[in-house]
Amino acid sequence: MNENNQLRDAFDAIADPTRRQLIRLLAEADEIPLHELTAQFQMGRTAVSKHLTILKEAGMVLDRKVGRETRFRLNAAPLREIQDWVAFYSKYWSTNMLRLNQLFEEEEQ
Amino acid sequence: MSLALSMDFQYTTSIEKAWSALTDSGKLAKWITENDFKPVVGHRFQFRHQASEYWDGIVDGEVLIVEAPNRLSYSWATGNEKHTVTWTLQDLGDGKVNLHLDQTGFSNPQGLEGARYGWGNWFGGFEKVLEQ
């Protein structure tokens, strides 16, 4: 699973809707401070921070201190593993079922 | 959460042709990939896809159930995943056939969640992320 020795499985990291929302928010900006991220959720700073820690363990989020605040940014590389996995299933069934349809159409001709 | 995938596909064809497409090695090669499949219970086969960075492309299987032309089941193993794929064919009349796919044995909820999410709505936002 992990080429970067990440502590946590990428799928574990995206299994939670809050974390998927965090990824989406971070994808839309270069860098976001914790308080701005927290403002987007119906939960406290500590809870958001815990979710960010899980994303960090999966290598999907990087953080740095700027003065008193911590800013977060997305590291999309580990998402590659998910894309490949999903693409594999998606390719296997969806694309293949379209090809199966083509096969039936050819047979009718 | 049940770790199973269930899908239906409808085609304009006869149930015999649909069965043949699911069980004939030459036809499977046209819509899945190169393979040595035979519709014989106990037969071991491989589907050989193009390898990628994360996947060697090999699916190892063993035929479990052959009930022409209605039911076909085989194991389906790749990497750490070992699934069971079952096809149920139903003649809907008017030259229509329903293909029902059950796939069970996902090894972890994260994997299935990942797949479900991917099938649902991942790709749009996702490609944007990768382009950055």
Side-chain angles (χ1 to χ4, degrees):
Chain A
M1 113 202 169
N2 51 26
E3 61 197 301
N4 316 321
N5 294 318
Q6 40 198 71
L7 296 166
R8 188 178 284 274
D9 191 300
F11 293 97
D12 198 10
I14 66 152
D16 180 274
T18 300
R19 294 198 288 275
R20 295 198 291 266
Q21 180 65 16
L22 280 167
I23 290 170
R24 204 165 284 169
L25 290 168
L26 290 166
E28 286 163 5
D30 282 344
E31 211 174 39
I32 310 180
L34 179 58
H35 67 88
E36 279 182 33
L37 285 169
T38 305
Q40 308 277 337
F41 295 94
Q42 302 282 353
M43 60 178 81
R45 186 188 173 95
T46 310
V48 173
S49 196
K50 279 184 184 168
H51 282 299
L52 283 163
T53 300
I54 290 170
L55 290 171
K56 267 171 65 181
E57 287 170 0
M60 289 178 189
V61 161
L62 306 171
D63 64 346
R64 65 176 184 125
K65 288 260 184 204
V66 179
R68 286 190 194 172
E69 66 181 21
T70 309
R71 294 182 190 169
F72 294 87
R73 62 184 301 145
L74 186 69
N75 177 37
L79 291 170
R80 265 267 169 221
E81 181 186 1
I82 291 162
Q83 188 196 34
D84 212 78
W85 198 90
V86 168
F88 157 58
Y89 282 100
S90 159
K91 180 183 147 201
Y92 210 88
W93 301 118
S94 304
T95 314
N96 288 357
M97 298 319 278
L98 285 173
R99 272 196 251 150
L100 177 60
N101 195 37
Q102 285 169 2
L103 179 67
F104 290 143
E105 282 173 5
E106 283 168 21
E107 286 194 348
E108 291 306 314
Q109 282 159 15
Chain B
M1 181 200 277
S2 163
L3 298 184
L5 167 71
S6 180
M7 295 169 99
D8 281 278
F9 307 91
Q10 279 160 22
Y11 296 104
T12 304
T13 187
S14 69
I15 196 163
E16 290 77 17
K17 282 180 183 169
W19 177 260
S20 159
L22 287 177
T23 55
D24 179 272
S25 177
K27 287 181 183 172
L28 286 168
K30 281 189 180 170
W31 72 274
I32 296 184
T33 190
E34 187 209 328
N35 68 91
D36 54 359
F37 187 87
K38 279 182 207 165
V40 175
V41 173
H43 175 67
R44 289 172 187 275
F45 59 93
Q46 282 193 331
F47 285 136
R48 297 182 200 93
H49 296 79
Q50 209 160 20
S52 73
E53 191 183 346
Y54 294 100
W55 185 38
D56 65 5
I58 305 288
V59 175
D60 284 299
E62 179 179 347
V63 180
L64 305 173
I65 298 173
V66 179
E67 290 170 11
N70 297 110
R71 215 150 81 97
L72 174 71
S73 182
Y74 44 83
S75 65
W76 192 94
T78 185
N80 297 323
E81 298 277 317
K82 183 167 184 194
H83 300 176
T84 300
V85 170
T86 302
W87 297 98
T88 307
L89 292 76
Q90 190 189 358
D91 196 337
L92 301 175
D94 291 334
K96 303 261 185 206
V97 172
N98 188 73
L99 275 187
H100 178 79
L101 165 71
D102 282 304
Q103 186 168 359
T104 58
F106 287 90
S107 62
N108 60 69
Q110 289 81 11
L112 186 66
E113 176 80 7
R116 195 195 301 283
Y117 193 59
W119 288 313
N121 60 6
W122 186 247
F123 280 105
F126 190 68
E127 279 170 13
K128 210 172 92 190
V129 172
L130 290 176
E131 280 163 14
Q132 287 182 343

